[in-house]
Amino acid sequence: MSGDDPRKHTIAVLVENKFGVLSRVAGLFSARGYNIESLSVGETLDPTVSRMTLVVRGDAFVIEQVIKQLHKLIDVIKVTDLSEEDHVEREMLLLKVNAEPAARAEILRIGDIFRAKVVDVTPTSYTLEATGEEGKIEAIIELLRPFGIQEVVRTGKVAIARSPKNRVRKVEEKLGKRPGLPRPESQDPKVVGFAD
């Protein structure tokens, strides 16, 4: 690939849940002059293992080298560049916006379009919570900006790889052949996870 590929890479890192691991992982990127645009860390099903999701914009070749270096860290269990795979990503936003009486209905309408929830109300402001892909988060911020945004808090991106399609197809075929179960075509898309 070209040496000046500026695209974003979403990298998932499974690490042992130990003191200092986060700084060592982040240090590998900063040592090569890359800013981590977002970073989310949390426990997995196993409390001794944490999952880090990093978003870094940079040269594909250098990112590949950093990933190789990450594999060499003793506390790192697995590294995956999710940008190279089919994946689902989400971010959460908390946004506090001025809500004068004349603007309240319009703010609520915008929030409703983006499936945002009002999580706090004062006489002069609303605090909204929204979850979605980066584009959705950016769009709601831009639409609410004219009302006067007081504060924005974003979690950073979390992402997970999609299951292989051939595996899903085999499961659907089995479901379709078993008596008494609905055929896969008749399933509600919300149930199988395609709805937002």
Side-chain angles (χ1 to χ4, degrees):
M1 274 196 180
S2 158
D4 56 0
D5 175 18
R7 77 185 186 99
K8 287 185 180 180
H9 294 262
T10 302
I11 300 167
V13 187
L14 283 177
V15 296
E16 292 183 26
N17 196 358
K18 292 181 180 174
F19 175 79
V21 175
L22 174 60
S23 62
R24 285 194 290 279
V25 169
L28 281 176
F29 289 92
S30 60
R32 285 156 181 81
Y34 285 102
N35 180 45
I36 296 173
E37 292 190 8
S38 89
L39 171 64
S40 298
V41 186
E43 283 185 358
T44 60
L45 286 173
D46 179 350
T48 66
V49 176
S50 289
R51 181 184 169 104
M52 302 171 61
T53 306
L54 303 99
V55 177
V56 184
R57 188 186 296 275
D59 175 299
F61 175 75
V62 176
I63 297 293
E64 185 180 323
Q65 297 306 307
V66 173
I67 288 171
K68 286 179 181 174
Q69 293 297 314
L70 284 170
H71 279 291
K72 293 179 183 176
L73 290 178
I74 194 161
D75 296 319
V76 171
I77 299 164
K78 184 178 179 183
V79 183
T80 309
D81 186 350
L82 291 171
S83 313
E84 305 299 321
E85 299 183 21
D86 194 14
H87 66 281
V88 178
E89 57 188 47
R90 292 291 182 269
E91 181 176 350
M92 191 181 85
L93 165 78
L94 290 173
L95 181 146
K96 190 185 297 179
V97 61
N98 293 334
E100 299 302 327
R104 287 180 176 243
E106 180 64 10
I107 292 169
L108 291 175
R109 190 182 70 77
I110 291 169
D112 197 43
I113 290 168
F114 287 89
R115 297 184 186 164
K117 297 190 294 191
V118 176
V119 292
D120 189 47
V121 178
T122 73
T124 58
S125 70
Y126 282 150
T127 300
L128 301 172
E129 173 193 314
T131 306
E133 293 181 351
E134 184 180 6
K136 174 181 172 179
I137 299 300
E138 295 289 346
I140 191 170
I141 291 171
E142 286 310 308
L143 284 169
L144 292 174
R145 196 180 298 278
F147 298 98
I149 295 174
Q150 296 179 18
E151 193 173 357
V152 167
V153 180
R154 296 171 71 164
T155 59
K157 191 182 293 186
V158 292
I160 191 167
R162 288 189 185 271
S163 297
K165 289 183 180 176
N166 59 349
R167 174 99 188 258
V168 173
R169 194 172 297 120
K170 287 177 185 173
V171 170
E172 287 177 347
E173 286 169 4
K174 286 180 185 175
L175 284 175
K177 290 177 185 175
R178 289 178 59 193
L181 289 177
R183 295 200 58 81
E185 306 87 58
S186 66
Q187 289 179 345
D188 183 344
K190 291 179 184 167
V191 175
V192 292
F194 295 110
D196 193 4

